[in-house]
Amino acid sequence: HVQLVESGGGSVQAGGSLRLSCTHPSYVFRKCPMGWYRQVPGTERELVSTIRPDGTTTYSDSVKGRFIISHDNDKNTLYLQMNDVKTEDTANYICAAQRRLLSCAWYYWGQGTQVTVS
């Protein structure tokens, strides 16, 4: 059972900042991307940001310019720096990692950490 463990969620005022962390086993993120999803109850999970092992990043339009994804290879930890947060950023943020089967696909999931912006 692969464990992706998120931390760093909490309550923050609009315009503030928060940093999420996700620790994972060392064999995750060797060849395939990791990322952050978010989900509000009753809605579909939304892909927020991804990072590839070569450092290439992607962001959804809703967070581009405000959030920064990064990864510390020595600590086996994925981060999401959330800046200038808005009330619409309120959600459960879920760390996820892909695994190479025939090709890379989303395979590992954390339990999530709640972010509430007021």
Side-chain angles (χ1 to χ4, degrees):
H1 178 65
V2 175
Q3 281 195 314
L4 305 183
V5 182
E6 302 98 334
S7 61
S11 297
V12 60
Q13 290 190 337
S17 297
L18 207 61
R19 189 176 79 158
L20 306 182
S21 301
C22 171
T23 58
H24 61 83
S26 60
Y27 56 82
V28 172
F29 198 59
R30 285 183 178 174
K31 295 183 178 180
C32 296
M34 292 189 71
W36 291 94
Y37 281 77
R38 66 185 181 187
Q39 188 168 27
V40 175
T43 68
E44 289 191 3
R45 193 172 287 183
E46 174 193 5
L47 180 59
V48 174
S49 182
T50 68
I51 185 168
R52 302 176 65 89
D54 66 2
T56 304
T57 59
T58 68
Y59 298 93
S60 66
D61 288 342
S62 60
V63 307
K64 195 173 296 181
R66 300 188 297 120
F67 291 9
I68 302 171
I69 192 171
S70 62
H71 188 272
D72 187 325
N73 293 335
D74 292 333
K75 295 181 179 179
N76 295 316
T77 302
L78 177 72
Y79 299 101
L80 185 68
Q81 178 67 43
M82 305 170 63
N83 300 319
D84 189 23
V85 295
K86 304 177 180 180
T87 54
E88 52 262 44
D89 294 324
T90 295
N92 188 41
Y93 283 74
I94 303 161
C95 174
Q98 296 191 6
R99 174 185 175 186
R100 180 178 291 276
L101 299 171
L102 294 179
S103 60
C104 291
W106 294 108
Y107 192 86
Y108 305 113
W109 301 89
Q111 293 297 309
T113 185
Q114 178 67 34
V115 172
T116 302
V117 183
S118 60

